[in-house]
Amino acid sequence: MLEIYNLDVNLSYRGSQIKALDNLSFNVYPGEILGLVGESGAGKSMTGLAIIGLIEAPLSISRGKIIFNKQRIEQNANAFRGSKISMIFQDPLVSLNPLRTIGEQLVETIRTHIKFGRKEAIEYAKSLLEEVGIEQERFDAYPHTFSGGMRQRVVIALALAPKPSLVIADEPTTALDVSVQAQILELLKKLCRERETSIILITHDMGVIAETTDRVAVLYSGTLAEIGKTFEVLNYPQHPYTKGLIEATPRIDANSLNSKLYQIPGVMPDLKEIPVGCPFHKRCPRYIKKCVEIKPPLLNERAACWLLDNEKGLL
Amino acid sequence: MSFLLVNQLSRIFDLSEPWILRKIKGQQKKLLKAVDKVNFSIERGQTYALVGESGSGKSTIAMMVAGLIKPSSGFITIDGYNFFSPTIENNIKSSLRKSVQMIFQSPYASLNPRWRVGEVLKEPIKAFNLIESENGQKQRVCELLEQVGLSERDINKFPHEFSGGQRQRICIARSLASEPKLIICDEPTSALDVSVQAQVLNLLKDLQKQFSLTYLFISHDLAVVSTMANRIGVLKQGILVEEASPNKLFEKPEHDYTKMLLSAAPDIKNVSKIP
Amino acid sequence: MKHPFLESDLYYNFKRTPIAVLSFFVFLIIVIMAIFADIIAPHTPFEPLTLNLLNGFTPPMQANEFTGTIFLMGTDDQGRDLFSTILFGLRISLFVGLMAVFLAMVIGVTLGLIAGFVGGVVDTVIMRFADIQITFPSILVAMLIYGVAKGLLPPDLRYEMSITVLIISIGLSEWVPFARTVRGSTLVEKEKEYVISARMLGLSYPQIMVRHILPNILSPVLVIATITFALAIITEATLSFLGVGVPTTKPSLGTLIRIGQDFLFSGEWWILLFPALTLLLLALSINLFGDWLRDMLNPKLK
């Protein structure tokens, strides 16, 4: 449904171009939840912005294309924005106008995208609220009267209003408590099932990835490190970075007290200092000579790692 | 007697409007019980974790243990001394300050952006008059930097030249500078990336062994807590609803709220089965 | 090794903003001309012996009909070279403005820091006082202070102290914006963890305020200082124009404008125009530079 081919996004800094996303290619299929995971600065949010067509200076797309339902997405074109692709942000207050009731905001959003009369729009808005788990009586309430989790539900209703076929959720639960987070993720899963909407879930939390997504793409320094079915990637990681990330994630386990967590040495390099070759090789426990010299492409449609480039195809 | 003893600790915040407005509107005082009769204790060299969601009062407890907020009722003793005891002498208060330090959540706000790392680390040494000579101070700073995995070369850098994880290391070094016995860790890794979080948690474990430190570890993340704590207390709206060892808490949680937290916490173990 | 400032974003952006560069250099040239007025000025307008009344009312760039001398900007009624009087006037205007801003800054920053950090009753008292003061136009406040001070001083000191009194009255009338901004920033900074960790060391309030908070709230202070500087110069000019400022024997730009105003309708336009243009140029360059600085140091854009 959504196809991204060889996407390069550049960041212009003091007249020079720095690669922020490098040769990114992946697909999103109808009705799936794709997780986009990586550490801060890996390019997760930037990928989301590119898909929704919001790449603006100092960022620019220098290569590649994004195809959505057989149509190419142009940056800064209003045609696509919000109609078939919606976005949910980390902070619900950013997306809500504090001076207007949630009902007004919903109706307005609906009527800009769908040709509805006022009455129809109100009916539809109320049904949306019900769908995301908010009582219809709260239709005339202002955003500040809602708790954080409820606000995020309103934002989800707003995102669903134009009946999008793809929703990009950028860290939708990071600002919320665990119990509320679980509810919101459950809601997203339900919507994905019932409406057959695809969701791109951007997060840094491996636990959220494990419990929510169907497939997962792991980003490192603007490069796709690994992509595949969540079950396979988490149980049989092929890229040393994915492997490290999984082992470094603490688990709820009484026995973990006496052992130490696995730690990946070093930190992700700054965009200005991404090394030649594989961007991960300086932190990689198993790098070979080739890793230092040439950047690995995605091999076996799974992981960008030269270690896969042997007869067995496994680490 | 336990190293840290928290007894019937309560803290009430007065959220009411000024007296005159209250009289005009005929309102009662608005009081918020942030912490309500909390009891727990920590043995020397152990880690006690307080788990709870926002508004559970865990940070308020941390501030009271640190001696920055006065309890409304109840008391805290550290090594037998109480910050807020009316008879406490100044030199005991000072040595108490020296032995309790804190690490904070935000690696950005917890370092003064205009101070060089060396100055940051020298401040506690100077404040408690630990080392007199300029040379000795510098040596101590280098030693601290090495203990947290940084190097002497970083001494003249500013905080913005470091990554989040490195800044948190600097904060840890600062808290170690006064040779404390108790370190309060208030969500020390929740602003960090996974791989960096592992580094910081491991460092905290190493330091605990090396200096037989006692930790009061505050977090909302049960997975993080399970790798750190000897005992865990679950807080809900200021009340300690359950307290147990990790074994018991994770295997057989008793309180409904604990059960809910455990089922809601995202865990990488629970990867969904092949569809 | 380059100086770190040359590598900073501030300098990088400065080089690429023509209006910032232009206004900065215009201001710099004006300041240099004022500082070296003794060397640059072709005449010494305040030495009565060197003045020739025959030179009076010479239009700019025209030879005087009696003496044949040419003056760049013409002369006034007493035959003083306008260009030279402007240079010396600038010196006084800049000095008064600078000292007044410095005074306002010291008062405002101190009170703002205390109000923000200590809070409670202290905060209420300081800020309500600021609220009351700001309801009066600052020129009125300055005139009031000026009047009271003049009344209190013994007559023989009045003349000597007039510039000091002017500085104090302008300084006292402009401290409120400093105090308000500093208080706001202090409220934000004092909740940050680095301040909490300083409190855990048992440092005293003044130590925390001066060593930790003050260095972190200086950028907005700098912006206000530039804008207040332009304001102070204008206030000084206004006061002098109204005749309550510096004495006519040591004229500032405002005094020159007042003198020029007398001749505006008798055809000697230059006596008013050139001092007024200088004031305009000075205030404009400072304001434009201040605007740019504000945009740069705005925490939202950082």
Side-chain angles (χ1 to χ4, degrees), chain A residues 13-15, chain C residues 7 9 12:
Chain A
Y13 177 77
R14 296 196 176 180
Chain C
E7 304 263 321
D9 288 342
Y12 181 84

Side-chain angles (χ1 to χ4, degrees), chain B residues 69-80:
Chain B
I69 301 182
K70 201 171 186 257
S72 302
S73 65
F75 63 86
I76 303 162
T77 60
I78 300 158
D79 224 358

Side-chain angles (χ1 to χ4, degrees), chain C residues 241-254:
Chain C
F241 179 80
L242 294 171
V244 292
V246 293
T248 35
T249 48
K250 272 199 156 190
S252 69
L253 285 178

Side-chain angles (χ1 to χ4, degrees), chain B residues 78-97:
Chain B
I78 300 158
D79 224 358
Y81 295 110
N82 180 350
F83 257 119
F84 297 102
S85 143
T87 56
I88 190 165
E89 288 159 35
N90 270 338
N91 60 335
I92 291 179
K93 203 164 178 173
S94 168
S95 75
L96 204 50
R97 279 224 174 84

Side-chain angles (χ1 to χ4, degrees), chain C residues 80-254:
Chain C
R80 293 191 291 201
D81 173 37
L82 261 181
F83 180 61
S84 308
T85 49
I86 287 175
L87 288 186
F88 285 102
L90 263 176
R91 204 188 239 187
I92 294 168
S93 287
L94 284 170
F95 176 75
V96 171
L98 196 70
M99 296 311 285
V101 167
F102 186 72
L103 181 67
M105 190 164 82
V106 170
I107 297 171
V109 169
T110 313
L111 289 179
L113 257 179
I114 293 172
F117 194 79
V118 179
V121 183
V122 180
D123 180 27
T124 313
V125 170
I126 294 176
M127 293 327 285
R128 285 308 83 77
F129 185 73
D131 288 345
I132 293 167
Q133 177 164 345
I134 207 124
T135 55
F136 297 102
S138 60
I139 191 95
L140 212 64
V141 177
M143 279 177 83
L144 186 75
I145 299 167
Y146 191 82
V148 171
K150 282 254 160 168
L152 291 176
L153 282 171
D156 49 323
L157 272 178
R158 269 179 213 169
Y159 181 74
E160 286 166 45
M161 297 286 288
S162 61
I163 285 187
T164 316
V165 171
L166 193 63
I167 288 169
I168 292 172
S169 47
I170 297 174
L172 284 180
S173 67
E174 299 284 3
W175 64 273
V176 177
F178 286 100
R180 286 195 167 168
T181 313
V182 166
R183 175 182 174 267
S185 313
T186 305
L187 286 178
V188 174
E189 292 297 321
K190 82 166 178 181
E191 296 299 326
K192 290 201 177 155
E193 283 93 342
Y194 72 87
V195 176
I196 298 180
S197 88
R199 282 171 60 197
M200 289 196 67
L201 300 179
L203 298 185
S204 67
Y205 277 14
Q207 274 177 316
I208 296 176
M209 279 194 274
V210 174
R211 292 173 55 198
H212 283 278
I213 297 182
L214 187 61
N216 286 301
I217 53 173
L218 282 183
S219 18
V221 170
L222 197 66
V223 174
I224 296 181
T226 28
I227 289 163
T228 311
F229 184 40
L231 235 121
I233 290 173
I234 294 172
T235 309
E236 181 276 326
T238 316
L239 286 175
S240 299
F241 179 80
L242 294 171
V244 292
V246 293
T248 35
T249 48
K250 272 199 156 190
S252 69
L253 285 178

Side-chain angles (χ1 to χ4, degrees), chain A residues 68-215:
Chain A
F68 177 72
N69 281 345
K70 302 196 178 72
Q71 251 182 307
R72 188 165 172 165
I73 293 185
E74 302 295 338
Q75 298 300 316
N76 299 320
N78 276 316
F80 258 84
R81 210 178 282 171
S83 61
K84 287 293 160 213
I85 307 180
S86 296
M87 190 131 182
I88 301 168
F89 293 97
Q90 175 177 341
D91 183 358
L93 284 182
V94 174
S95 324
L96 294 173
N97 182 341
L99 300 176
R100 303 181 59 203
T101 67
I102 59 160
E104 283 172 56
Q105 297 184 49
L106 266 172
V107 169
E108 188 190 10
T109 312
I110 293 166
R111 294 190 65 187
T112 45
H113 294 298
I114 308 173
K115 279 205 162 59
F116 264 171
R118 206 176 157 71
K119 271 208 166 146
E120 276 175 293
I122 292 176
E123 280 307 305
Y124 178 50
K126 286 190 173 165
S127 74
L128 275 174
L129 280 182
E130 191 152 339
E131 197 175 344
V132 298
I134 295 175
E135 305 101 62
Q136 296 192 355
E137 292 86 74
R138 313 267 339 238
F139 187 78
D140 290 318
Y142 286 90
H144 71 264
T145 60
F146 289 84
S147 67
M150 283 303 190
R151 276 181 206 144
Q152 201 58 293
R153 283 171 192 265
V154 176
V155 172
I156 292 173
L158 273 173
L160 292 176
K163 302 186 177 161
S165 37
L166 175 65
V167 175
I168 301 169
D170 190 353
E171 305 263 7
T173 58
T174 308
L176 305 174
D177 274 330
V178 248
S179 54
V180 185
Q181 162 170 289
Q183 293 164 12
I184 297 286
L185 292 177
E186 209 45 56
L187 174 66
L188 285 177
K189 274 201 260 185
K190 189 188 96 179
L191 295 172
C192 177
R193 265 200 318 272
E194 290 174 2
R195 291 182 159 241
E196 300 205 336
T197 311
S198 306
I199 296 175
I200 297 182
L201 182 67
I202 299 173
T203 179
H204 65 277
D205 190 328
M206 293 301 276
V208 170
I209 290 288
E211 294 189 0
T212 320
T213 61
D214 303 312
R215 285 197 315 138

